[in-house]
């Protein structure tokens, strides 16, 4: 099978070389590399063209700025491979990752591999995955806690999953909006403990600078899923986002009320306490309480 590696490029002239070296150096070489220059105003357009001259597997798309989703979508349209994967151009991938992951796509629609999150910072932490084969997408989302790592880039996808799916343009946290649609088309997901994606912190990135409006987009994505797939732990995860949105915007909560089974073994003590307050009140009250506490302590 051929693998199409889609790399959106925008204002990453200082990290593009590291990213590209990690991809062209992969031991699995039946791949095409699609660099999507998303109207970058720095030296990235020239660097992309230089890479294409150095390696015939590399193709470059130059386009007006459409944002991360628009760049990924352009890459999907151009992809010729049977399998698609993504890399952000300020990140990189460990040697041998594709060679380790590609055999599993023979029997799966999505293959997910580990991530070293916030690489090079004091927050650095490995998202390790246990080998597991999911044939029920709800189990993958809930029991596998895929909602905590719904990233586009640490996964391989069969090309046909994108036949009727694209990343939504004009919004952020687009990965969380998109993965549930891909899962609706999938029959099997395989998580593996081999390979690694290095996620590097970008101080200008959305994760570091998200406002209330942007977190509202993340909340909206989860609220669309929670009506179909939910358990107490996932609900409390989304409640945390709802509380942040309320604190930043003051807008009426979107999250519907759900009582929490406080004796559930998988809940932590902190989660049980939050569930207790929720059970005694409602979503808006716990949001107000959270905001008040943060005002008293002087932090978010």
């Amino acid at each position: 099978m051929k693998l199409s590696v889609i790399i959106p490029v925008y204002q990453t002239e200082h990290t593009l070389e590291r990213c590209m070296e990690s991809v062209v150096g992969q031991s699995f070489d039946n791949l095409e590399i699609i660099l999507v220059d998303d109207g970058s105003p720095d030296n990235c357009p020239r660097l992309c063209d230089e890479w294409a001259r150095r390696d015939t597997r590399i193709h470059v798309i130059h386009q007006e700025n459409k944002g991360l989703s628009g760049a990924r979508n352009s890459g999907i349209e151009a992809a010729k491979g049977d399998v698609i994967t993504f890399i952000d151009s300020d990140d990189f991938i460990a040697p041998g990752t594709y060679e380790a992951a590609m055999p599993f796509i023979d029997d799966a629609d999505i293959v997910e591999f580990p991530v070293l999150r916030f690489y090079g910072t004091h927050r650095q932490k490995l998202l390790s995955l246990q080998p597991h084969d999911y044939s029920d997408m709800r189990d993958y989302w809930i029991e596998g806690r895929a909602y905590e790592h719904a990233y586009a880039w640490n996964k391989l996808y069969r090309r046909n999953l994108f036949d009727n799916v694209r990343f939504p343009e004009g919004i952020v946290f687009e990965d969380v909006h998109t993965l549930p649609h891909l899962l609706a088309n999938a029959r099997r997901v395989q998580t593996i403990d081999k390979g690694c994606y290095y996620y590097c912190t970008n101080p200008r990135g959305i994760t570091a600078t998200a406002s209330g409006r942007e977190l509202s987009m993340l909340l909206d994505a989860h609220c669309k899923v929670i009506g179909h797939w939910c358990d107490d732990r996932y609900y409390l995860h989304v409640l945390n986002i709802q509380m942040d949105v309320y604190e930043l915007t003051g807008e009426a909560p979107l999250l519907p009320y759900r009582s929490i089974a406080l004796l559930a073994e998988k809940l932590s003590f902190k989660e049980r306490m939050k569930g207790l307050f929720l059970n005694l009140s409602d979503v808006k009250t716990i949001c107000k309480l959270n905001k008040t506490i943060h005002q008293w302590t002087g932090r978010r």
Side-chain angles (χ1 to χ4, degrees):
M1 287 188 179
K2 175 177 265 189
L3 174 63
S4 295
V5 183
I6 298 170
I7 309 176
V9 179
Y10 186 77
Q11 288 190 325
T12 51
E13 61 182 355
H14 300 299
T15 58
L16 182 59
E17 190 83 3
R18 178 183 65 183
C19 175
M20 289 302 296
E21 287 178 352
S22 77
V23 177
V24 300
Q26 289 290 307
S27 50
F28 181 88
D29 61 2
N30 186 18
L31 50 80
E32 65 170 355
I33 303 164
I34 303 173
L35 287 169
V36 184
D37 161 35
D38 192 38
S40 187
D42 57 5
N43 288 321
C44 283
R46 176 180 59 81
L47 295 174
C48 289
D49 290 337
E50 287 180 0
W51 271 104
R53 286 192 290 270
R54 291 159 61 180
D55 192 321
T56 58
R57 299 174 300 171
I58 298 173
H59 311 285
V60 180
I61 298 171
H62 295 288
Q63 65 181 32
E64 294 183 359
N65 182 257
K66 296 181 179 180
L68 180 58
S69 288
R72 286 177 178 166
N73 291 340
S74 294
I76 293 168
E77 295 290 342
K80 300 295 193 296
D82 311 287
V83 182
I84 287 176
T85 193
F86 303 93
I87 297 185
D88 288 351
S89 54
D90 46 6
D91 299 334
F92 63 103
I93 196 164
T97 295
Y98 295 150
E99 184 175 30
M102 279 296 287
F104 292 93
I105 204 71
D106 289 341
D107 299 313
D109 297 297
I110 298 174
V111 177
E112 181 178 21
F113 45 87
V115 181
L116 189 59
R117 295 189 276 199
F118 307 111
Y119 172 73
T121 74
H122 70 281
R123 299 172 61 196
Q124 178 174 306
K125 185 176 182 180
L126 178 66
L127 168 65
S128 58
L129 299 170
Q130 296 300 314
H132 196 96
D133 183 359
Y134 295 92
S135 57
D136 185 319
M137 298 304 102
R138 183 191 182 281
D139 286 349
Y140 172 61
W141 188 259
I142 297 297
E143 302 303 326
R145 301 180 76 166
Y147 55 84
E148 292 185 346
H149 41 93
Y151 313 121
W153 25 250
N154 70 322
K155 301 172 180 68
L156 307 182
Y157 310 86
R158 283 188 177 268
R159 173 66 179 79
N160 61 6
L161 294 184
F162 287 95
D163 284 351
N164 299 302
V165 176
R166 292 293 185 271
F167 290 93
E169 299 184 23
I171 67 171
V172 296
F173 295 108
E174 63 289 324
D175 299 1
V176 183
H177 284 268
T178 305
L179 183 57
H181 293 290
L182 296 173
L183 294 178
N185 294 336
R187 292 177 298 175
R188 294 183 65 189
V189 175
Q190 178 74 48
T191 57
I192 63 175
D193 59 358
K194 301 176 174 65
C196 189
Y197 185 98
Y198 289 82
Y199 167 54
C200 305
T201 300
N202 181 351
R204 296 178 300 179
I206 188 60
T207 302
T209 63
S211 67
R213 174 179 173 274
E214 289 152 346
L215 286 176
S216 293
M217 297 178 188
L218 175 61
L219 176 63
D220 178 63
H222 282 296
C223 284
K224 289 176 180 176
V225 177
I226 215 164
H228 304 283
W229 300 333
C230 192
D231 73 349
D232 287 348
R233 179 182 284 175
Y234 177 40
Y235 182 88
L236 291 170
H237 173 84
V238 180
L239 178 61
N240 287 336
I241 302 169
Q242 174 65 83
M243 289 191 296
D244 284 343
V245 170
Y246 182 85
E247 182 175 350
L248 291 169
T249 69
E251 295 175 356
L254 295 177
L255 184 65
Y257 176 81
R258 174 189 175 103
S259 63
I260 303 299
L262 301 177
L263 298 180
E265 291 184 3
K266 62 184 177 181
L267 294 183
S268 67
F269 175 78
K270 185 176 181 180
E271 288 171 331
R272 287 194 181 98
M273 290 301 97
K274 189 168 293 181
L276 174 62
F277 281 115
L278 179 67
N279 289 353
L280 293 173
S281 56
D282 55 34
V283 175
K284 187 171 184 178
T285 300
I286 197 171
C287 285
K288 286 182 175 179
L289 178 62
N290 177 72
K291 184 176 181 178
T292 300
I293 291 172
H294 286 177
Q295 288 174 337
W296 285 346
T297 58
R299 66 177 180 86
R300 214 187 98 186

